[in-house]
Amino acid sequence: RSKGKQPKLEGWLTKCGYHINKYLPRYFQLVDNVLLYHSARFKGSVRLVKSIIGTVNQDEKDGIYKFTCQTPGKSLVLGAHDKERLQVWVKKLQEVVLEQKARSVNATPKHARMWTMGTSTTTTQSDHSIRRNSAQDQGGPPRHFQQGFLLKEEPRTKNMRRRLFV
């Protein structure tokens, strides 16, 4: 399922079942931003986009060290008997999540453009044309001078949506 890509990390962990609260061994592979898990056959995958990786703590009932991996679509409870091995997994997954956040912040889609009105210390040709076309230079209220698509964060869901601003 990894389509020839080399896993960043792979090994055996236990996964707590969703309906039956029992830890079962699964073989996990971290390929790019996808966490794949298998038993004798492929069981599932989780994309680590907008994920939250919890800290390692001990399950008193089973005597196993565990952490949670929460994504918008799925929540996994992963564990191991070795705390150090589990901390390696947590650290690597947190690195991948941070990389994904940095990519999503730095990636500017073609349709996302931002325009500002006002003066700046460094002026370019586009600054001059915007200021020349704005009514603010003549002392009046600002008027409509540009329209385009921007990304706006939805307050309730924290998802980014493309919106037309005029």
Side-chain angles (χ1 to χ4, degrees):
R1 296 268 183 181
S2 62
K3 298 180 184 175
K5 293 188 178 182
Q6 199 66 6
K8 294 179 182 179
L9 190 61
E10 59 185 332
W12 288 95
L13 295 173
T14 57
K15 178 186 165 294
C16 187
Y18 181 71
H19 295 290
I20 302 170
N21 197 10
K22 182 180 175 185
Y23 288 94
L24 298 171
R26 300 285 184 251
Y27 189 76
F28 285 85
Q29 292 179 312
L30 179 60
V31 180
D32 289 335
N33 66 340
V34 179
L35 185 64
L36 306 163
Y37 54 99
H38 317 263
S39 61
R41 60 181 179 81
F42 177 74
K43 287 287 190 178
S45 65
V46 177
R47 289 189 65 222
L48 298 173
V49 178
K50 297 182 182 178
S51 298
I52 300 170
I53 308 299
T55 58
V56 174
N57 53 26
Q58 189 171 15
D59 189 342
E60 301 295 329
K61 185 176 82 173
D62 295 319
I64 195 166
Y65 293 97
K66 65 178 184 172
F67 73 95
T68 57
C69 174
Q70 295 177 334
T71 64
K74 196 180 264 191
S75 180
L76 298 175
V77 179
L78 306 177
H81 291 287
D82 183 15
K83 185 176 182 178
E84 288 76 28
R85 179 165 47 125
L86 203 59
Q87 286 176 333
V88 168
W89 274 93
V90 168
K91 184 178 178 187
K92 192 63 165 177
L93 292 172
Q94 287 173 340
E95 288 174 7
V96 169
V97 169
L98 286 174
E99 286 174 10
Q100 290 299 312
K101 284 184 181 177
R103 280 189 202 148
S104 66
V105 168
N106 293 334
T108 305
K110 289 187 279 186
H111 62 271
R113 303 246 193 318
M114 295 183 75
W115 296 280
T116 58
M117 282 180 50
T119 59
S120 62
T121 56
T122 59
T123 56
T124 62
Q125 183 61 33
S126 62
D127 289 337
H128 289 298
S129 63
I130 289 173
R131 252 189 260 119
R132 189 171 46 242
N133 292 334
S134 71
Q136 193 175 20
D137 290 341
Q138 288 82 29
R143 63 179 178 175
H144 170 74
F145 67 95
Q146 198 82 28
Q147 75 178 19
F149 288 98
L150 296 174
L151 292 177
K152 179 185 176 196
E153 184 178 27
E154 302 263 336
R156 189 172 54 89
T157 62
K158 303 293 183 198
N159 292 335
M160 299 300 282
R161 300 284 184 208
R162 187 176 144 197
R163 298 288 184 241
L164 177 65
F165 286 86
V166 292

